[in-house]
Amino acid sequence: MKDFIGGEFAIGETLRVGRLGYGAMQITGPGVWGPPRDLDEAKRVLRRAVELGVTLIDTADSYGPYISEELIHEALHPYPAGLAIATKAGLVRTGPGVWVPVGRPAYLRQEAEMSLRRLGVDRLDLFQLHRVDPDVPLADQVGLLAELQAEGKVDRIGLSEVTVSQIEEARTYATIDSVQNLYNVANRQSEEVLQYCEASGIAFIPWFPIQTGALAQGDGALGEVARELGVSPAQVALAWLLAKSPVMLPIPGTSSVAHVEENIAAAEIELTVEQLARLDGLAS
């Protein structure tokens, strides 16, 4: 593996990854449903990300469903040393763009077992509760993840789209090593959660880091800073995330090799204090 992209972070103190990873949601079809339009390009994207030094790939059973995990296995197995694959369970798919929380322990166990099989591993590096099911006690949902960890089927446990109070409650049932919430330069609704994670040493994985390309349009300060540096607005958005907090682990996703290369290059961008201040003013 190359040097850690964006610097190093140890999830749970032992799972060492580069701070800029890759999110494997976009290698599926439209609506995150079905196979990709270009299967060969999807595999090239995964391989190129790893070639460039990505050490954290984030996926989920619901991406496809199942297709993202299957493609990761097809493209990358046997996995190179140092590559961590994070996956998630807790959302059921009934069609394109449809996501339904299901947190019954038996279901979460089933999905964990299937993810192990699809990915071709004996233990999931990071297993995340994709959404909290409001109809199932959080103790039961997180408790099941803790059971899997005790059985050696899960290394580290994470949560997704949660509040500070939910994290605090979950930590009474298991050690929580990562939180994955919506967060980017224009949408900081999870600022309180980020601050909590930073104070607690918990990895914060922002999903939608460039709003599926929307921030690439580069309006306002984002475009201004991009022009000053001679880079793309999307790269500035990623550089801002990396500068925002030492626990931040952005996972930009794309189905294009060119965009993978562009995203990873963002780790080399250094923003000035004045540029950071201007970008800080973009939040809605």
Side-chain angles (χ1 to χ4, degrees), residues 167 171 176-177 193-203 247:
I167 302 170
R171 293 179 79 187
I176 303 301
D177 289 314
V193 173
L194 170 61
Q195 293 174 5
Y196 178 88
C197 289
E198 186 170 325
S200 305
I202 295 172
V247 304

Side-chain angles (χ1 to χ4, degrees), residues 102-123:
V102 175
R104 295 190 302 274
Y107 174 75
L108 295 176
R109 175 175 287 279
Q110 167 190 293
E111 293 307 291
E113 297 284 1
M114 291 175 68
S115 288
L116 286 166
R117 186 181 308 173
R118 282 189 294 269
L119 290 169
V121 296
D122 296 323
R123 181 173 64 176

